[in-house]
Amino acid sequence: MDPLTYDLVLAGLTVGSAAALTGIGLIVTYRATGVLNLAHGAIAMICAFLLRQLAVGWGWPLPLAACLTLLVAAPGLGLLMSFVGSDPARALAATIGVLVLLIGVAGLVWGPGARADAPAILPDTPWIQLAAVCVLAGAVAAVTRWTRFGKELRAVVDNRALAELGGIDAGRVAAAGWAFGAFTAGLTGVLLAPYVRLDPYGLPLLVMEVMAVAVAARMRSLPVAVGTALVLGVAQAQLTRFHPSGRLDPLLQALGSNLFVVALLIAALTMRGVGVPEPAAALRPTGPARGAVTGAARRAPDTGTALRALAATLRPGPVVRIRQLTWVPVAVLLVFPVVSTPHTAVAVPALAVVLLSLVIVTGRSGQLALGQAAYAGLGALFAARLSERLPELVALPVAVALVAPLGLLTGWPAIRRRGLALALTTFAVGTVVSRFVLTQPYATSGVTVSRPAGFGSDRAFYTLELALLGCSLLAVAALRRGRMGRALAAMRDHEQGAAAAGVPVPRLKLLAFVLGAALAALGGGLLSMGASAFDATAYDPVRGLLWFAALMILGADTLLAAPAAAVLLTVLDSGSHTGLAATAVGALALLLTRFRPAARPPRRLTRTPLGERARARLPRPPVALARSGTGTRAPRRPAPDWAEVSPPGPLTARGLRLSYGAFTVLDGVDLTVEPGRVTALVGPNGAGKSTLFHCLCGTLRPASGRVALAGTDITRRSAHARTRLGVARTFQQLAVFPSLTVAEQVRIGAEQGRVRDPGRTVESVLRLLDLDGASVRDRYTAGLPTGLLRRVELARA
């Protein structure tokens, strides 16, 4: 081995050892708590800063400073994080809050600049660091396998509820997992700090990039995580020795320094089931069939349900309930700079447009998108490049048109991913764009940014921004209304229920990400024009997490939250105290996730005596009366308006076969469901009834066999496509949409179905199932009794 190769191997082992520590900590935390700690990098950063302050700033002995940092401060942060509760959704949101809070604290205490004098606690020898990693991994494996705590940990991993019933203190196990994960984060930070840029934003992002090793190990296997980290570290180091001539050289150099970023994207795209079940996971058999399902798969449905609930928590919370405010205060804050000095506020409308993209993607669609900052950066870069040949007012919309289709980079993976898996994918896409485009000289060298002609002054440009912000608000408001608004709300509240109602979920996801990318590009272009410069750090992926957290605490489903969050972020960071905005946002996010009470349904209609009198005068449809068997007159309901819609034909299944691993659930099943008849399927637990039902409705696809409707093969049709053909369904566990009224939920079924007059059909179905009362039809389904909700679900079908 030549000396250069050997030196590069040693350098790669150093990086790989730090990445392996990150993987170990993330996996242990996840296995103990069910949460991927997104604040892992921030803990590493704060511990590195603390060690430097103790050893360099205050002159403490390095061993004492290291013990205090790694054995007291780091585990203490982990224990504090354990108090967010056992709900995985709130814990995930809390990790984002901790990430933002620690970055803000570091900015306030140590400033935004980089530090190059961080002390090293281990000799500059890769073999010593690698030995430390192997010893730590071996100790974790030994504790997990041979100690009582390890048995309790495995029990909590397999089934937390059952472990608690068996007398295991799951909270204590989770707290230990948090503490150990924070310890490894601190160790990662102090090992990396002497060799990388130590600043509040750089180190957290670096550690989040090496999260790829834990994702590649499917958050389970420590040996796989350690091996992946070492291989990636050595491969990244070896790539630096290649310098091909031509256009590939800049790309290869970028790959040589960002291989972990690429690995994170590949792992997020290929490793399905990370942190959230596959679509079929929640439908796996119970009873005798349960033994064929692994412990991780049994755990996944609970995690996935909680992560889907996180999207619901992104609506206005109790800390700041924006809907109770008026438009007047925010409007005054936005318009005031027009008549004063708008220099410090010129970024507010542009940032508000960027945050509106999150309102569409996260607030309205329920998708955990953590990479919107990348699209803002692309919009700024494309607008700057195009303005070299086009007027600025033409270059900006052209840049938006070019960036909008790139929303498919995150929208396409979102079709089959949700929850944490989607969050990781969007973050990885945003990081790849940042590292391979926005920060590379081949893309940004020589970029000049200028404002449009006639809008050179701050006041004039601010007025232009306000006009574009107003147009964006009107566009997003229009998206919230009507058929599209109801479909998006249904997809956000219950994705499978929306598909069962005929909502084209994949198409809506793509639309949401494309529109979100367009708005983010528009806001990014305005940001760079307002600053008259292109700054890649303004679109850093970690800064995108700050934007996400700010919108989360103000209500991601509220139009007013975007300008309010923009005002908050800009005003707090406008002075000399850099990091104040991140500190405030992080603290509020923690309060929001820790003390949020049960969500209350929104109120859209307020009944008044005048309105009730007017409602009483409205003509009601006639009700025919018929003689009952007892001689009394009973109301006879008119014939439904959808009676002329004939059944599409028999639903048949031939030779259906489906297995879960080695367990065969369906084996050569034949079934015919005739139209106009009730067909019952009877069998014991684990016989495969629900699995067959899901195969017929399109939720699962059989391994072999054929499903046909009226002779047409629909085996490969999606659930929403089968609904539109006439195969509707209800669910064992209620699939209703809490943010919609009873009438709106039924209307979704009519709009997505085959009826000619949805309004008339809705009234007929509401009357048929006794849902047309004034006290029922306009009520939101959150909090309604189960029996009534069953009728609502049936009416929608």
Side-chain angles (χ1 to χ4, degrees):
M1 181 181 298
D2 61 89
L4 176 60
T5 302
Y6 181 74
D7 292 340
L8 290 176
V9 168
L10 294 182
L13 289 177
T14 301
V15 176
S17 298
L21 284 174
T22 298
I24 293 172
L26 289 173
I27 290 174
V28 172
T29 303
Y30 180 80
R31 294 185 66 181
T33 64
V35 178
L36 178 59
N37 183 12
L38 296 180
H40 199 87
I43 296 175
M45 175 270 300
I46 208 74
C47 288
F49 266 114
L50 179 60
L51 178 64
R52 177 192 170 277
Q53 182 65 39
L54 294 176
V56 178
W58 294 344
W60 287 29
L62 183 59
L64 178 60
C67 289
L68 181 63
T69 301
L70 298 178
L71 301 181
V72 179
L77 285 174
L79 290 177
L80 288 176
M81 293 183 66
S82 68
F83 285 103
V84 298
S86 60
D87 185 283
R90 295 190 179 187
L92 178 67
T95 62
I96 298 178
V98 171
L99 166 71
V100 174
L101 176 62
L102 293 181
I103 289 175
V105 170
L108 286 175
V109 176
W110 292 288
R115 303 293 188 274
D117 55 348
I121 63 172
L122 291 179
D124 189 13
T125 304
W127 302 114
I128 295 180
Q129 298 183 9
L130 179 59
V133 170
C134 293
V135 169
L136 187 63
V140 172
V143 169
T144 304
R145 181 176 297 273
W146 293 314
T147 66
R148 178 180 175 182
F149 177 79
K151 295 177 182 178
E152 293 178 350
L153 176 62
R154 295 201 304 272
V156 172
V157 169
D158 287 340
N159 193 317
R160 182 186 179 107
L162 188 60
E164 290 177 341
L165 290 176
I168 295 176
D169 188 351
R172 179 176 62 87
V173 174
W178 280 113
F180 180 80
F183 163 75
T184 60
L187 185 57
T188 303
V190 300
L191 288 179
L192 283 176
Y195 310 104
V196 299
R197 185 182 64 171
L198 178 56
D199 68 84
Y201 283 92
L203 189 57
L205 179 58
L206 178 62
V207 177
M208 292 184 73
E209 291 169 3
V210 300
M211 194 182 296
V213 301
V215 180
R218 298 179 63 86
M219 308 305 297
R220 264 185 275 175
S221 175
L222 293 180
V224 171
V226 173
T228 302
L230 297 178
V231 169
L232 288 176
V234 173
Q236 179 172 278
Q238 293 294 332
L239 284 174
T240 60
R241 65 187 302 178
F242 297 102
H243 298 283
S245 59
R247 298 181 178 180
L248 292 179
D249 185 39
L251 184 62
L252 191 59
Q253 289 183 8
L255 182 64
S257 57
N258 297 286
L259 188 60
F260 281 93
V261 179
V262 179
L264 176 61
L265 178 60
I266 295 175
L269 290 175
T270 59
M271 301 296 180
R272 300 184 61 185
V274 177
V276 68
E278 299 177 18
L283 312 175
R284 287 173 175 167
T286 57
R290 184 174 295 172
V293 186
T294 64
R298 287 198 299 271
R299 180 193 182 95
D302 294 334
T303 306
T305 302
L307 288 171
R308 286 193 297 273
L310 178 58
T313 69
L314 300 177
R315 292 191 288 273
V319 176
V320 180
R321 190 169 292 276
I322 289 297
R323 283 178 179 153
Q324 295 177 354
L325 301 177
T326 67
W327 281 89
V328 176
V330 175
V332 169
L333 288 173
L334 289 174
V335 176
F336 180 73
V338 177
V339 296
S340 64
T341 304
H343 179 69
T344 58
V346 74
V348 172
L351 183 56
V353 174
V354 176
L355 294 177
L356 274 177
S357 70
L358 284 171
V359 173
I360 293 178
V361 179
T362 299
R364 295 304 297 168
S365 306
Q367 310 302 307
L368 296 181
L370 303 181
Q372 291 300 103
Y375 297 113
L378 288 176
L381 180 60
F382 285 8
R385 288 298 191 188
L386 289 170
S387 64
E388 298 172 359
R389 296 178 175 86
L390 300 172
E392 286 79 2
L393 287 180
V394 177
L396 185 59
V398 172
V400 171
L402 292 176
V403 175
L406 297 180
L408 298 176
L409 293 175
T410 48
W412 190 261
I415 291 178
R416 298 189 179 276
R417 286 167 178 80
R418 58 179 68 90
L420 181 56
L422 177 58
L424 282 174
T425 303
T426 56
F427 179 80
V429 170
T431 307
V432 167
V433 171
S434 175
R435 290 301 179 94
F436 282 86
V437 180
L438 302 182
T439 59
Q440 293 301 319
Y442 68 82
T444 61
S445 61
V447 171
T448 58
V449 181
S450 58
R451 294 180 180 178
F455 297 94
S457 66
D458 289 339
R459 183 173 289 106
F461 186 72
Y462 190 87
T463 305
L464 174 64
E465 287 182 306
L466 282 184
L468 293 176
L469 174 60
C471 294
S472 301
L473 286 169
L474 291 176
V476 177
L479 193 65
R480 293 159 55 95
R481 300 190 184 99
R483 177 173 179 172
M484 178 66 70
R486 285 187 289 270
L488 285 171
M491 181 179 70
R492 176 195 60 200
D493 290 349
H494 197 294
E495 191 173 306
Q496 285 188 351
V503 174
V505 171
R507 193 185 313 161
L508 278 185
K509 284 186 176 182
L510 292 178
L511 176 64
F513 277 100
V514 169
L515 294 179
L519 273 181
L522 176 61
L526 292 175
L527 276 175
S528 64
M529 289 181 181
S532 298
F534 176 80
D535 182 9
T537 61
Y539 312 102
D540 189 272
V542 177
R543 197 172 298 275
L545 295 179
L546 171 62
W547 296 347
F548 181 89
L551 195 69
M552 180 183 70
I553 64 174
L554 296 176
D557 189 27
T558 309
L559 288 179
L560 198 57
V567 171
L568 174 69
L569 292 173
T570 305
V571 170
L572 291 182
D573 271 348
S574 60
S576 59
H577 299 291
T578 303
L580 185 59
T583 304
V585 168
L588 288 175
L590 282 177
L591 291 175
L592 177 67
T593 55
R594 182 67 181 89
F595 299 109
R596 176 187 290 274
R600 292 181 295 179
R603 295 185 299 173
R604 185 178 302 171
L605 301 178
T606 301
R607 298 188 179 277
T608 63
L610 178 61
E612 291 295 339
R613 288 196 298 270
R615 186 182 182 88
R617 294 192 183 98
L618 293 176
R620 292 185 175 274
V623 179
L625 298 179
R627 295 282 181 179
S628 65
T630 59
T632 59
R633 295 179 64 84
R636 185 181 65 193
R637 302 187 180 278
D641 299 322
W642 35 266
E644 71 274 7
V645 181
S646 58
L651 178 66
T652 60
R654 294 292 179 265
L656 293 188
R657 180 181 177 84
L658 183 66
S659 301
Y660 298 115
F663 187 86
T664 301
V665 183
L666 304 179
D667 189 5
V669 176
D670 295 335
L671 180 70
T672 299
V673 181
E674 296 289 349
R677 299 182 60 184
V678 176
T679 302
L681 187 65
V682 183
N685 289 341
K689 305 182 301 298
S690 298
T691 302
L692 176 59
F693 191 77
H694 293 305
C695 288
L696 295 176
C697 297
T699 314
L700 290 177
R701 183 173 295 175
S704 61
R706 180 175 181 268
V707 179
L709 179 65
T712 302
D713 192 345
I714 61 172
T715 309
R716 304 187 67 83
R717 298 285 184 94
S718 61
H720 76 269
R722 299 189 194 194
T723 301
R724 294 186 170 194
L725 292 175
V727 182
R729 66 165 295 182
T730 60
F731 289 80
Q732 284 180 294
Q733 295 181 351
L734 283 169
V736 293
F737 314 127
S739 61
L740 297 178
T741 64
V742 170
E744 287 175 331
Q745 304 217 26
V746 180
R747 190 175 182 86
I748 284 180
E751 290 172 339
Q752 306 295 337
R754 300 179 298 152
V755 298
R756 301 190 185 96
D757 188 350
R760 186 182 176 192
T761 303
V762 168
E763 297 302 321
S764 298
V765 175
L766 290 175
R767 289 195 302 269
L768 178 69
L769 294 175
D770 290 328
L771 298 173
D772 58 334
S775 61
V776 175
R777 60 177 296 135
D778 294 328
R779 291 187 60 183
Y780 292 88
T781 54
L784 292 180
T786 302
L788 192 148
L789 293 179
R790 288 293 181 192
R791 281 187 282 147
V792 172
E793 198 178 18
L794 182 60
R796 188 183 68 212

